Amino acid sequence: MAIGGGGSVKTLVRIGVLASGRGSNFEALLRAEHSGDLGATVAVLLSDHADAGAIEIARRHGIPAQHLQLLGRGRIAPEDEAAIVRCLRAHDVGLVCMAGFMRLVGRTLLEAFPGAVLNIHPSLLPSFPGLHATEQAVAHGVKVSGCTVHIVTHRMDAGPIVAQVAVPVHEGDSGETLASRILEQEHLLYPQAVRWWAERRLAVSGRMVHVLPAAAAREVTT
Ligand code: GRF
């Protein structure tokens, strides 16, 4: 099944970004859009933290930003997800990008955006899912870690893998030093994966995500 793309060949995919914190991946998507390398446009930023750096970045770039007041912790309550879906639809969003969003999404959001919710994680999944991935990697003694963009499913950090980049773990690395080297690669990988999605170049078959050549994607789109 080919996923992705806008309503028509000429319509740019509109992205809704969910971010809880600093927002450097959100900003990397904006930078890629501005340099014409995203093939999509960032339409709205939603954050569950009123003081998130991502909200400040959105303001600086003139992107609408909304603070989500969510119930509880962990998995988002269905009524909150319904409100998120309404907000994303109001901004005509076709692709949802989780970028350091510290809550688990469920059925309501995933069914509203089938195959259209991506996440970036700072490890080579399926190794080291969940919190503190780089600390887990250092503690485990792996020599190579990296980052992963995957399609979000209801299971945390377990959806089909779109793209990965390996990053060596250096002698003496801490979780923090490894995270900062991985982050540089995240900022390149996420825009690339979004671009593939926007160009309808991703074909999903079970757990496998195939990246189609650009010409084949054009045939699917037209
Ligand atoms: C990134 O390392 C991302 O992979 C993880 O959370 C971190 C978010 O960083 N999910 P930022 O807010 O994008 O700077």
Side-chain angles (χ1 to χ4, degrees):
M1 180 188 67
I3 57 170
S8 79
V9 181
K10 288 194 183 125
T11 315
L12 272 190
V13 172
R14 292 172 61 79
I15 301 174
V17 178
L18 303 181
S20 298
R22 183 176 54 189
S24 70
N25 276 288
F26 166 52
E27 195 160 30
L29 294 175
L30 289 170
R31 268 199 308 273
E33 178 185 348
H34 294 155
S35 56
D37 292 331
L38 195 62
T41 184
V42 178
V44 65
L45 178 273
L46 306 183
S47 179
D48 55 337
H49 287 287
D51 57 354
I55 292 189
E56 183 47 40
I57 292 168
R59 294 215 170 101
R60 266 205 323 269
H61 288 264
I63 303 292
Q66 189 155 328
H67 171 224
L68 307 165
Q69 276 181 311
L70 302 179
L71 300 167
R73 290 164 163 253
R75 199 169 285 281
I76 304 174
E79 57 267 44
D80 279 342
E81 276 204 1
I84 294 174
V85 169
R86 280 197 299 277
C87 178
L88 292 168
R89 291 228 162 105
H91 287 273
D92 204 13
V93 162
L95 172 66
V96 181
C97 290
M98 294 172 53
F101 188 58
M102 305 308 280
R103 301 289 296 256
L104 295 175
V105 298
R107 224 172 266 290
T108 309
L109 181 73
L110 297 175
E111 285 176 2
F113 291 93
V117 184
L118 300 180
N119 181 42
I120 187 152
H121 183 78
S123 76
L124 292 177
L125 291 171
S127 291
F128 314 125
L131 294 174
H132 312 302
T134 56
E135 281 79 4
Q136 291 184 56
V138 168
H140 200 87
V142 295
K143 306 301 182 204
V144 176
S145 190
C147 49
T148 303
V149 174
H150 65 92
I151 297 169
V152 175
T153 62
H154 68 285
R155 288 180 51 228
M156 184 184 66
D157 297 333
I161 290 169
V162 174
Q164 294 184 303
V165 170
V167 174
V169 180
H170 294 165
E171 195 70 34
D173 254 341
S174 62
E176 210 174 322
T177 57
L178 177 60
S180 73
R181 269 202 327 285
I182 290 176
L183 197 62
E184 291 173 22
Q185 298 305 317
E186 292 184 38
H187 295 167
L188 303 176
L189 189 67
Y190 213 179
Q192 172 69 83
V194 165
R195 185 176 186 124
W196 286 335
W197 194 98
E199 291 175 340
R200 293 183 65 87
R201 289 180 59 188
L202 301 179
V204 184
S205 162
R207 281 213 55 84
M208 297 299 296
V209 181
H210 304 280
V211 182
L212 305 171
R218 270 201 300 281
E219 277 161 31
V220 173
T221 314
T222 49

